[in-house]
Structure formats: structure tokens, C-alpha cells
Amino acid sequence: MGSTESTSSGRTAAARDRDGEGRARNARPRDGLGRPLPYGAPGVPRQPEGVVRRPEESVTEAQRLLDEGKPFHAHEVFEDAWKSGPEEERELWRGLAQLAVGLTHAARGNATGGARLLRRGAGAAEAWAAAGGGRRPHGIDLSGVIAWARTLAAEVEAGAPVDAGARAPRLRGTVS
């Protein structure tokens, strides 16, 4: 395709979405599960990338997004923590990001991918805790989150539909 040919969206290849630094970025609006919508369609606000938060702020923001049924967006919060946090916590945050993506896939109806990512994230979080990371980093009930992920993975594989907001994990445990 030449630089002025139209794409299926009606945009020209030369008009590719770019950020302020010139990197390719898809500017299409997205729904609550991160699926791209047509240009001009109303979508949910996207999470800004590269935000550095204190760990407790990351947990609070991710929980808010999970509760709203936006696990794709929560994954981006965890990804920021993973990329900006201390080296010794990267596997924790990576595992939490995988759990959020697993919930995203499960809610989109991708049982195989959802279950796989839920188990992978649970395994990463469990390995991090076993290596000395602890069971309640930044107030996260890691044992509870790991159990939630494994239970949900089994339900998804059995064919249970998933409402992302209703099945969101409680990162800090049950509400008293």
C-alpha cells in the first residue's frame, strides 16, 4: 500500500496515528474491555501511559478500574508500576497485569486465552511471594488474588460467561 492509499477505515496510510514523539499510537476509541471502536465512536477514556504512582496509588487506581469493569485499563496501571517500580517488585506487577489481561480476555469470551493468562499471572505472583516478596505487598491480599484467579480460570474453561465488573478481584481482600 502506498503512502496515500486509503485503509479500510477511510484514513490514508500517511495519516497513521502518532504520539507527540512520532511513535505509532492507535488513537481509535476503545470500549471498557479495551476493544477498538470505529473512529468517531464514543469510547471510554484511556489510561494515560507512563504514569508513575506510589504502589498504594497503583493498587487503588487498579481496583477502581476493575470494579468499573475495565480490566484492560487496570492492566495499564499495573504495567506502569511494573515498568517504573523497583526491580525486586517487577514480577509482582507483571503478574498482576497478566491477571487483569486474563480477566479482559475472559470477559471478551476468549476462554482459552483468559484462563491461560489468569493462571500465568497467578503463577508469577505466587513465585514472587515464594521468593521472599511476601503475602501482602502494598496491602494486596496476594493469597486471595491468586485463589481468585485460579477459581475464575477453571470457571472460564467450564464455559461460564464473565462479567468483568462483577468478577473483579478484591486486591486488598474482602470488604469488612
Side-chain angles (χ1 to χ4, degrees), residues 106-120:
R108 288 177 178 176
N110 176 359
T112 302
R116 182 177 296 134
L117 281 161
L118 286 162
R119 286 195 178 97
R120 186 180 302 156

Side-chain angles (χ1 to χ4, degrees), residues 51-134:
V51 176
V52 177
R53 299 173 182 88
R54 290 183 306 108
E56 293 76 11
E57 292 170 327
S58 293
V59 174
T60 298
E61 179 65 3
Q63 186 68 69
R64 181 185 70 77
L65 292 164
L66 289 165
D67 292 345
E68 290 177 2
K70 299 175 186 172
F72 176 82
H73 303 277
H75 137 268
E76 293 187 349
V77 171
F78 289 136
E79 191 171 275
D80 284 341
W82 160 21
K83 292 178 177 179
S84 67
E87 182 67 35
E88 62 272 9
E89 290 187 0
R90 292 215 170 131
E91 287 303 302
L92 166 67
W93 297 111
R94 184 175 67 89
L96 293 171
Q98 289 172 331
L99 293 173
V101 172
L103 178 57
T104 300
H105 281 282
R108 288 177 178 176
N110 176 359
T112 302
R116 182 177 296 134
L117 281 161
L118 286 162
R119 286 195 178 97
R120 186 180 302 156
E126 189 170 55
W128 180 84

